[in-house]
């Protein structure tokens, strides 16, 4: 089955022109609802927008098929990262698709969305017999999957899932992805005039900095650790009273990720406590009138996404590799350090993998795709539905 290149390009241009940053997917949800209904799907929109304070809910679409054939769930997400408003798309002579450089392109994840839509059209136009088809087009995937995290999975009957949301040319699938655990540390000290009496202050920023220097960052074994945000101080002539730090840990081993985050919390708390010890040693007397605990660190963490690891001999992988073989695609099974909605599917007992769908340099204004990748992605969706 050959994808209609002109149709898929026009749909890609249509959908990427829609502003759909996280929490603001209303127009995209409306457009996709009409497209799914035109394909014969029953479409429901949930009320996750009330939970996450967004403008639209997740879309769930169902199309009845042959009960003797495998039911398959496909997924893509409707939101983009910032800057994603006012996108202007250009198709170059070599088939490369880019924005004008002031915004993201939106191939993440419109490349996946149009691949699903066009793949289903191909199957329908060919009159091929397929099983039930389920689709989730989620909101707020870019916010650690806040949309599907709150989805009602009692609706899902499929045991196999393909999430089209991986960078690279079609023909690869991620079977392994990490837990993503974010953390925050709020260190409290004591303010004082930095010029007249700095010895009366306790510098929360200094304590946080000491903690950060004790934390290995980047690749730490098989994990990655990152401090991504620091907020502290209101003026250069005031000893810093409070310092806020935020970061994350990613690991294919969920327990290891949590253990590392807890270790990081211990480090921040130890350095905060040293402020009190330094005060006791005469460096800075504690003012009993201060409104918060000096030398305290409020440390919190949240498991955003849990790791998954699908065996390569699982049916979802074998079906993918057979479909790729039929199309002359490599069928590589890989791991990724990125997060996706698929982690939540696996957590719900659905065997899911994440398919590459022709998006590159995502989360940047240099993001791009290729027309031929969009075509191959659609043809792969059609093959996944029909392969025996």
């Amino acid at each position: 089955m050959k994808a209609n290149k002109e149709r898929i390009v026009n749909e890609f241009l249509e959908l990427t022109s829609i502003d759909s940053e996280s929490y603001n997917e209303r127009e995209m949800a409306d457009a996709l609802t009409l497209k799914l209904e035109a394909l014969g799907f029953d479409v429901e929109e949930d009320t996750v927008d009330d939970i996450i304070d967004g403008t639209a809910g997740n879309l769930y679409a169902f199309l009845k098929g042959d009960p003797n054939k495998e039911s398959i769930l496909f997924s893509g997400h409707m939101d983009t990262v910032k800057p994603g408003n006012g996108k202007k798309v250009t198709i170059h002579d070599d088939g490369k698709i880019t924005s004008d450089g002031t915004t993201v392109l939106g191939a993440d994840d419109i490349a996946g969305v149009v691949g699903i839509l066009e793949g289903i059209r191909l199957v329908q136009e060919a009159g091929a017999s397929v099983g039930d088809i389920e689709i989730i087009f989620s909101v707020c995937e870019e916010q650690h999957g806040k949309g599907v995290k709150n989805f009602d999975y009692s609706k899902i009957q499929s045991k196999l899932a393909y999430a089209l949301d991986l960078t690279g040319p079609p023909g690869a699938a991620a079977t392994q992805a990490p837990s993503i655990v974010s953390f925050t540390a709020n260190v409290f000290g004591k303010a004082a005039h930095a010029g007249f009496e700095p010895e009366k202050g306790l510098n929360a920023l200094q304590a946080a900095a000491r903690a950060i220097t004790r934390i290995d960052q980047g690749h730490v074994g098989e994990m990655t650790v990152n401090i991504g945000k620091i907020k502290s101080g209101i003026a250069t002539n005031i000893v810093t009273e409070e310092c806020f730090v935020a970061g994350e840990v990613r690991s294919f081993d969920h327990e290891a990720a949590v253990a590392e985050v807890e270790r990081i919390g211990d480090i921040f708390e130890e350095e905060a406590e040293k402020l009190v010890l330094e005060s006791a040693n005469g460096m800075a007397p504690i003012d009993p009138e201060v409104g918060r605990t000096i030398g305290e660190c409020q440390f919190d963490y949240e498991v955003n996404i849990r790791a998954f690891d699908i065996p390569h001999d699982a049916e979802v992988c074998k079906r993918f590799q057979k479909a790729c073989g039929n199309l002359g695609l490599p069928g590589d099974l890989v791991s990724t350090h990125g997060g996706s909605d698929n982690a939540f599917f696996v957590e719900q007992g659905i065997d899911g993998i994440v398919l590459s769908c022709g998006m590159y340099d995502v989360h940047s204004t240099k993001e791009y795709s290729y027309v031929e990748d969009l075509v191959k992605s659609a043809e792969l969706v059609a093959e996944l539905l029909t392969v025996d």
Side-chain angles (χ1 to χ4, degrees):
M1 288 173 276
K2 293 294 183 182
N4 185 317
K5 183 183 295 187
E6 181 179 359
R7 183 169 62 191
I8 198 170
V9 167
N10 287 339
E11 188 161 69
F12 184 86
L13 293 175
E14 174 194 354
L15 293 178
T16 52
S17 71
I18 297 174
D19 293 343
S20 189
E21 292 179 346
S22 300
Y23 301 103
N24 292 285
E25 300 96 338
R26 177 73 271 151
E27 187 179 351
M28 183 66 75
D30 291 341
L32 291 178
T33 296
L34 292 176
K35 289 179 179 292
L36 289 165
E37 289 176 343
L39 289 169
F41 283 85
D42 294 324
V43 184
E44 301 176 17
E45 181 177 339
D46 68 17
T47 57
V48 70
D49 49 319
D50 293 336
I51 299 173
I52 64 174
D53 195 22
T55 61
N58 300 303
L59 297 183
Y60 168 70
F62 176 81
L63 184 63
K64 185 66 178 176
D66 185 342
N68 297 313
K69 293 184 178 292
E70 189 75 58
S71 174
I72 297 178
L73 169 66
F74 290 97
S75 82
H77 62 86
M78 296 187 280
D79 60 321
T80 71
V81 296
K82 296 180 179 181
N85 291 339
K87 300 183 292 294
K88 295 179 176 62
V89 179
T90 298
I91 301 179
H92 302 268
D93 291 341
D94 61 355
K96 187 176 184 178
I97 311 173
T98 67
S99 72
D100 65 359
T102 63
T103 69
V104 297
L105 171 63
D108 181 9
D109 189 33
I110 295 305
V113 169
V114 299
I116 294 168
L117 294 174
E118 180 65 13
I120 292 168
R121 289 193 193 100
L122 295 182
V123 169
Q124 292 181 341
E125 289 169 353
S129 176
V130 300
D132 295 345
I133 305 174
E134 296 181 287
I135 296 174
I136 296 176
F137 286 147
S138 67
V139 295
C140 275
E141 187 276 344
E142 298 292 4
Q143 304 300 316
H144 293 309
K146 284 185 178 179
V148 296
K149 183 177 184 179
N150 293 285
F151 184 78
D152 178 9
Y153 286 94
S154 67
K155 298 178 183 294
I156 303 299
Q157 65 181 34
S158 300
K159 297 302 180 184
L160 307 180
Y162 296 101
L164 277 73
D165 192 19
L166 186 67
T167 60
T175 62
Q176 183 186 40
S179 286
I180 303 176
V181 186
S182 60
F183 61 84
T184 60
N186 230 11
V187 180
F188 298 111
K190 179 185 175 186
H193 194 291
F196 294 137
E197 46 186 11
E199 67 282 355
K200 292 185 178 181
L202 291 172
N203 198 316
L205 175 57
Q206 183 180 37
R210 289 171 177 170
I212 291 171
T213 60
R214 291 175 58 190
I215 298 167
D216 293 330
Q217 295 189 60
H219 285 286
V220 181
E222 64 83 26
M223 287 186 288
T224 59
V225 180
N226 187 60
I227 304 292
K229 186 183 295 185
I230 301 174
K231 184 178 180 181
S232 182
I234 57 175
T236 60
N237 62 350
I238 302 175
V239 175
T240 305
E241 185 176 29
E242 182 177 350
C243 184
F244 173 84
V245 179
E248 67 163 38
V249 173
R250 300 189 183 210
S251 174
F252 294 128
D253 183 330
H254 177 74
E255 286 71 24
V258 172
E260 179 64 12
V261 168
E262 291 177 342
R263 189 184 76 84
I264 289 170
D266 290 342
I267 291 172
F268 273 103
E269 290 169 0
E270 288 169 10
E271 293 299 336
E273 289 170 2
K274 286 180 182 178
L275 293 178
V276 177
L277 295 176
E278 290 169 351
S279 172
N281 290 333
M283 290 184 62
I286 297 175
D287 183 353
E289 299 300 321
V290 71
R292 59 168 56 104
T293 302
I294 295 174
E296 178 186 13
C297 175
Q298 294 177 352
F299 188 86
D300 295 293
Y301 69 85
E302 179 180 3
V303 176
N304 298 298
I305 292 177
R306 289 185 68 95
F308 67 85
D309 190 357
I310 301 297
H312 288 191
D313 60 355
E315 178 61 29
V316 68
C317 297
K318 292 191 290 186
R319 191 181 189 98
F320 166 74
Q321 290 190 308
K322 187 171 183 180
C324 285
N326 291 347
L327 295 174
L329 298 174
D332 295 330
L333 301 177
V334 301
S335 61
T336 177
H337 266 275
S340 74
D341 286 344
N342 188 66
F344 297 94
F345 303 156
V346 176
E347 196 171 351
Q348 293 295 323
I350 304 167
D351 273 359
I353 57 178
V354 191
L355 307 189
S356 55
C357 55
M359 52 187 184
Y360 307 86
D361 282 355
V362 299
H363 294 197
S364 81
T365 57
K366 296 180 180 180
E367 183 184 13
Y368 65 96
S369 188
Y370 285 103
V371 171
E372 284 304 315
D373 283 344
L374 301 180
V375 169
K376 291 177 182 177
S377 188
E379 292 171 353
L380 178 56
V381 168
E383 194 69 26
L384 285 167
L385 285 167
T386 56
V387 68
D388 294 324

